[in-house]
């Protein structure tokens, strides 16, 4: 049996262990890819130390959330579109094919979801993530990329293409609440990787004004440099919901409030005042989408939601259709990956990558692991 190398996570008290794993042979509905590049988020070293951060995922587990790969083999009967040698985006969001509600969803290499049915998927063949030389995926999770357009014409590398997964999250959330060109969007908190990527997504989608919130004023000001049309305004989170809400409204056109609120609150922000400030700054019939890492109750004004006819949507990562649509934005040049500064680490440099990635917590920096060098 052939093998490949991967990094195993065994728990918060054990370091990542590089080891040999059996290389699976794809069967019907499966594809095996060689992992060319995968992101190492700035918070990974911290998360590895938290008991249960993988949300009931069975251990040991290969971490790593998606990436860019090249098709090695496709299970028989062959997929109509996937062929060996193709460059693909590896979508880590795996949903049960027999669950049209999409609640039976896991993120390979990260979380077993919220239901027993989802955990059953996580215990199967797609549980491992991309901190490995090879990755097994459902065929629908391997999205073929236009290599001629992306690598040859636009000059991107697989490592640069990895960044697509970051703004894709915010893009999908904004699609879920039907963001329209010209509308005003609040992104909060906006200074860490996924929040700032959400800002870039909103700008690429034609938002007329983007209000960015956070506690680091320097980081907020930096976000303004990514838009030459002067659409970004910053509001610092002070802890005073009423004052912050007034500042948000003052930053919107004519002080009329925002149309959409995109939230990326981290785990530790469950009691943050920004929820009330942002919801209170929405126009009547405004829409909010929650995409952060909070797994507990948060303070929300029931009456505000009812009287202002607000819509609040929860959304996990991205849908298959939104992946296809966002890839088109990148392939067409509407979304530019060039401002992102990639820091590459060879597969045997995991320790160094984990040490350095914590300093890449904001735009434009991103740590990328190279499991397979072409």
């Amino acid at each position: 049996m052939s093998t490949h190398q991967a990094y195993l996570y065994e728990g918060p008290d054990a370091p990542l262990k590089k080891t040999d794993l059996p290389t699976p042979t794809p069967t019907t509905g499966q594809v095996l890819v060689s992992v060319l590049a995968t992101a190492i988020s700035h918070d990974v070293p911290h998360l590895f130390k938290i008991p249960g951060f993988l949300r009931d995922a069975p251990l040991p587990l290969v971490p790593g959330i998606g990436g860019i790969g090249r098709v090695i083999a496709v299970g028989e009967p062959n997929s109509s579109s996937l062929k060996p040698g193709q460059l693909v985006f590896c979508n880590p969001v795996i949903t049960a094919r027999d669950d049209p509600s999409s609640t039976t969803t896991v993120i390979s290499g990260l979380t077993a979801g919220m239901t027993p049915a989802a955990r059953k998927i996580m215990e199967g063949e797609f549980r491992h993530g991309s901190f490995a030389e090879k990755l097994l995926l459902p065929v629908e999770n391997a999205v073929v990329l236009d290599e001629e357009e992306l690598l040859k014409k636009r000059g991107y590398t697989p490592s640069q293409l990895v960044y697509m997964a970051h703004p894709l999250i915010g893009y999908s959330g904004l699609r879920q609440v039907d963001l329209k060109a010209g509308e005003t969007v609040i992104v909060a908190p906006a200074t860490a990787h996924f929040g700032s990527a959400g800002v870039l997504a909103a700008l690429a989608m034609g938002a007329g004004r983007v209000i960015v919130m956070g506690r680091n004023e320097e980081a907020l000001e930096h976000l303004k440099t990514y838009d030459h049309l002067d659409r970004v305004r910053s509001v610092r989170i002070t802890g005073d919901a009423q004052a912050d809400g007034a500042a948000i409204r003052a930053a919107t056109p004519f002080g009329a409030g925002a149309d959409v609120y995109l939230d990326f609150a981290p785990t530790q922000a469950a009691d943050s005042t920004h929820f009330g400030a942002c919801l209170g700054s929405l126009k009547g019939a405004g829409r909010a989408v929650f995409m952060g890492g909070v797994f507990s109750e948060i303070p929300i004004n029931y009456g505000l939601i009812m009287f202002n006819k607000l819509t609040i949507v929860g959304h996990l990562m991205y849908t298959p259709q939104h992946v296809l649509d966002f890839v088109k934005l990148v392939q067409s040049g509407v979304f530019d990956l060039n401002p992102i500064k990639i820091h590459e680490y060879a597969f045997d440099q995991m320790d160094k990558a984990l040490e350095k990635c914590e300093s890449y917590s904001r735009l434009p920096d991103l740590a990328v692991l190279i499991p397979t060098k072409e």
Side-chain angles (χ1 to χ4, degrees), residues 1-320:
M1 177 182 289
S2 62
T3 62
H4 65 279
Q5 291 194 312
Y7 285 95
L8 277 181
Y9 174 81
E10 298 178 312
D13 297 323
L16 278 183
K17 181 174 69 175
K18 188 178 181 183
T19 187
D20 291 326
L21 294 180
T23 300
T25 299
T27 59
T28 301
Q30 300 178 351
V31 58
L32 183 68
V33 304
S34 174
V35 182
L36 304 183
T38 182
I40 304 179
S41 178
H42 71 282
D43 56 358
V44 165
H46 171 67
L47 293 175
F48 280 163
K49 300 172 185 177
I50 301 175
F53 99 91
L54 289 170
R55 299 214 42 92
D56 298 324
L59 301 180
L61 183 75
V62 177
I65 308 175
I68 302 299
R70 195 171 293 284
V71 175
I72 298 173
V74 184
E76 298 291 346
N78 287 334
S79 161
S80 61
S81 60
L82 291 175
K83 298 176 180 61
Q86 288 177 316
L87 189 72
V88 293
F89 173 86
C90 302
N91 179 0
V93 184
I94 299 174
T95 299
R97 291 166 176 161
D98 59 351
D99 179 12
S101 71
S102 297
T103 57
T104 307
T105 298
V106 304
I107 302 175
S108 61
L110 180 65
T111 174
M114 302 293 284
T115 67
R119 182 177 173 83
K120 185 177 180 181
I121 293 178
M122 198 64 173
E123 291 171 346
E125 60 268 35
F126 301 126
R127 54 194 291 260
H128 289 311
S130 53
F131 288 177
E133 293 176 322
K134 293 180 174 61
L135 178 65
L136 187 71
L137 291 168
V139 291
E140 62 267 29
N141 285 64
V143 179
V144 178
L145 300 175
D146 187 338
E147 188 167 354
E148 179 72 25
E149 181 70 31
L150 291 169
L151 270 58
K152 296 182 180 179
K153 181 178 177 180
R154 302 204 174 276
Y156 292 141
T157 65
S159 294
Q160 286 178 289
L161 296 179
V162 163
Y163 184 72
M164 287 194 298
H166 287 64
L168 174 55
I169 297 172
Y171 170 83
S172 187
L174 293 171
R175 285 282 301 271
Q176 285 297 106
V177 293
D178 192 28
L179 174 67
K180 298 177 178 65
E183 288 191 316
T184 296
V185 180
I186 305 166
V187 181
T191 54
H193 260 300
F194 295 111
S196 58
V199 173
L200 300 185
L203 293 170
M205 294 170 72
R209 180 73 54 85
V210 180
I211 315 297
V212 295
M213 289 195 78
R215 290 179 170 81
N216 187 313
E217 292 191 56
E218 181 180 353
L220 290 173
E221 287 300 309
H222 179 70
L223 288 172
K224 297 179 182 179
T225 66
Y226 292 89
D227 178 47
H228 67 282
L229 298 177
D230 191 33
R231 291 174 290 170
V232 179
R233 302 290 186 275
S234 62
V235 173
R236 192 171 73 86
I237 298 175
T238 66
D240 184 331
Q242 186 172 0
D244 292 351
I248 294 172
R249 287 189 292 275
T252 64
F254 304 106
D259 302 284
V260 171
Y261 158 35
L262 175 62
D263 188 273
F264 280 106
T267 304
Q268 64 271 25
D271 60 351
S272 174
T273 58
H274 83 274
F275 296 112
C278 294
L279 288 171
S281 302
L282 289 174
K283 297 176 181 177
R287 298 99 71 198
V289 55
F290 286 7
M291 303 192 72
V294 177
F295 289 91
S296 60
E297 293 78 10
I298 62 173
I300 289 181
N301 187 319
Y302 190 108
L304 173 73
I305 297 168
M306 180 173 63
F307 278 91
N308 288 1
K309 301 179 178 62
L310 304 183
T311 298
I312 299 178
V313 175
H315 189 54
L316 176 68
M317 297 290 278
Y318 30 76
T319 70

